[in-house]
Amino acid sequence: MLKNTIKSLSVAALLAASAVTASAADYTIRATANSNENDEDYDGLVVFKNYVEAASNGAIEVELFIGTQLCSNGAECLQGVAEGQVDVYISTSGGASGIFPYVQVLDLPYLMADDRIAEHVLSGDFTRTLRDMALEDSGNAIRLMTVGNTGGWRNFANTKRRVANPSDMDGLKIRTVVADLPQELVKALGASPTPIPWPELFTSFQTGVVEGSKNGITDIMGMKFPDAGLQYVTLDGHAYMGALWWMNNEKFMGMDEGMRRVIVDGFYALQQATFASPKRKSIKAYEDFVAGGGDLYVPTPDQKAAFKTAATPVYDWFKSNVTRGDEIFTALTDAVAAAEADVNASRAADLN
C-alpha cells in the first residue's frame, strides 16, 4: 500500500514538474521535415532541439513533426511558414523553387568541387544573400536560416553501363524531377530526361521506362534500387544536395536578441550535424553497393573536366530563364572562388 502511494506521488511529482517546464517556455517552435527518422534532416533537428532548449534554459521549446503531419510538400509547407502555422521547415532546392526559383542555383552542376568548398560557401555570405532575396520576395514572411546537406552529392547511376565520359551518357533515359534545370542538364550530356515520381522509380528501373537517375548513394541504397537493376554509379559529384532551412520571420524577429542568438547558434549546430551525417551514412551505403556487385567508378580529373565542359550550356540557360538567375549565379561563383582561395591557402599552410 505504502509502495503504491509513493509510486503515485512520484508520478504526480513528475507530471507537475512537466507542467511547470511546459509553462516555463516563453516560445514554442513547431519544426517539420517531410522525411523520416533515418534521414539527415531528422539528425539536424534533434541537434537543434537539444541545443536550443538547453541554451535557452527552457525558455524555448521545440516540437518536432517528422513526416507530413503539418504539411505534405514544399509549396504547402512554405505557405505554412509564411502564415505561421509552421515555424521551421526544411526543403530541397526543388521543393522551394516554385516560390523562390533562384534557389535552384544549388543544383547547377560542377560548381563546387568537394565538401570543404561547399561547406565554406554555405557557411558564409552567399547564404545571407539568398536570405535577403527570399525575405524580399516573400514580403519579409519567410527567412532562410541556414543551408545544410541532405544526402551528400548527386551522382549519375544507371542500369546499362559504366559512365566514364559524357559520351557514355548518350541515349540513356535518366529519371529527373518535373523541373526544367535537371532536364536541361541531362539533355546537355546527351541523355534523355524522363520525369518519374519518386515512388514509381523502382518499378521504372525494372521495366526499362528509365535506365538511370541522379541521386545520392544513401537514397539509392535506402530504396534498394540495385535490386531493380541499378548497378553502375559514377562519382561525378555534379551537385551538392543542399537542404534549405526556413523559419517564419515574424516568429524569429518577435524574440528578444538573446533568444535570437540561441536560435542562430542552434541552426549553426544543425548545419554542422547535417554536414557530417551523410559522410558517415554513405560509408556503409557504398560498401553495400559494391558488395552486391555494383560498379563504382571515380572519374579522372580530365574526365570530370569534360563533364563540366559538356554541362556549361546549363549555366547560360539558368541565367537567362530563371528569375534573378544571373544575380544569384554571380553570387555563388564569386563565393566559390573566394572559398577555393581560402581552402587552398589553408591546405598549403598545413602541408608544411
Side-chain angles (χ1 to χ4, degrees):
M1 180 71 177
L2 181 60
K3 185 183 291 185
N4 289 337
T5 302
I6 292 173
K7 183 177 179 181
S8 299
L9 290 172
S10 298
V11 171
L14 285 172
L15 291 173
S18 298
V20 170
T21 301
S23 64
D26 298 320
Y27 307 99
T28 299
I29 293 175
R30 292 159 58 87
T32 189
N34 298 154
S35 52
N36 58 63
E37 294 185 1
N38 296 318
D39 198 88
E40 294 85 4
D41 308 335
Y42 178 74
D43 292 345
L45 278 174
V46 169
V47 170
F48 176 78
K49 173 181 171 67
N50 181 73
Y51 178 88
V52 166
E53 290 183 344
S56 69
N57 279 322
I60 303 174
E61 179 186 12
V62 180
E63 297 178 347
L64 303 185
F65 297 85
I66 307 303
T68 57
Q69 300 173 69
L70 297 185
C71 54
S72 60
N73 58 58
E76 181 185 340
C77 293
L78 284 171
Q79 186 65 35
V81 173
E83 295 175 354
Q85 288 94 17
V86 177
D87 297 315
V88 170
Y89 169 65
I90 178 264
S91 77
T92 60
S93 52
S97 62
I99 298 176
F100 308 116
Y102 41 82
V103 300
Q104 295 176 91
V105 71
L106 295 173
D107 293 332
L108 286 175
Y110 310 114
L111 289 183
M112 297 188 285
D114 55 37
D115 284 312
R116 285 191 74 174
I117 299 300
E119 290 169 11
H120 194 296
V121 167
L122 299 178
S123 298
D125 285 338
F126 169 73
T127 296
R128 298 182 183 99
T129 297
L130 269 180
R131 174 186 303 147
D132 291 343
M133 293 171 69
L135 281 169
E136 179 182 344
D137 291 340
S138 67
N140 281 324
I142 303 175
R143 184 183 189 89
L144 179 65
M145 300 304 299
T146 193
V147 181
N149 184 261
T150 178
W153 292 81
R154 291 192 189 279
N155 298 297
F156 284 110
N158 77 93
T159 62
K160 294 296 185 183
R161 57 181 176 264
R162 173 180 285 186
V163 171
N165 296 286
S167 59
D168 297 325
M169 296 282 291
D170 286 350
L172 286 175
K173 292 178 288 186
I174 303 294
R175 182 263 178 179
T176 67
V177 295
V178 184
D180 290 334
L181 192 151
Q183 294 183 46
E184 290 296 323
L185 169 59
V186 169
K187 287 190 288 186
L189 296 176
S192 175
T194 308
I196 294 288
W198 182 252
E200 299 174 16
L201 190 49
F202 187 96
T203 303
S204 297
F205 285 137
Q206 286 181 314
T207 58
V209 172
V210 292
E211 300 160 327
S213 68
K214 42 197 302 301
N215 292 111
I217 190 65
T218 53
D219 286 337
I220 288 171
M221 298 308 293
M223 294 295 289
K224 303 186 186 302
F225 289 151
D227 293 346
L230 201 74
Q231 289 294 317
Y232 300 90
V233 171
T234 298
L235 299 181
D236 66 304
H238 57 269
Y240 188 78
M241 296 174 69
L244 299 117
W245 291 86
W246 308 95
M247 185 170 181
N248 176 275
N249 190 49
E250 184 178 0
K251 186 64 167 277
F252 177 75
M253 295 305 296
M255 297 179 174
D256 63 52
E257 184 175 335
M259 292 298 100
R260 293 202 304 274
R261 184 186 301 274
V262 168
I263 295 295
V264 167
D265 288 347
F267 275 109
Y268 174 81
L270 175 153
Q271 182 193 52
Q272 296 304 303
T274 66
F275 283 164
S277 183
K279 297 184 183 75
R280 179 182 63 80
K281 292 178 178 177
S282 67
I283 295 172
K284 184 173 183 351
Y286 282 124
E287 289 175 348
D288 290 347
F289 177 75
V290 173
D295 183 85
L296 192 63
Y297 183 72
V298 180
T300 67
D302 286 345
Q303 288 169 336
K304 193 160 183 179
F307 274 101
K308 182 172 183 177
T309 298
T312 299
V314 180
Y315 305 154
D316 293 331
W317 176 90
F318 179 84
K319 289 186 285 185
S320 299
N321 291 278
V322 173
T323 302
R324 306 185 76 173
D326 189 48
E327 177 185 354
I328 199 63
F329 181 83
T330 299
L332 178 57
T333 51
D334 286 351
V336 168
E340 289 174 341
D342 287 347
V343 170
N344 288 335
S346 295
R347 283 174 174 150
D350 290 338
L351 291 175
N352 299 311

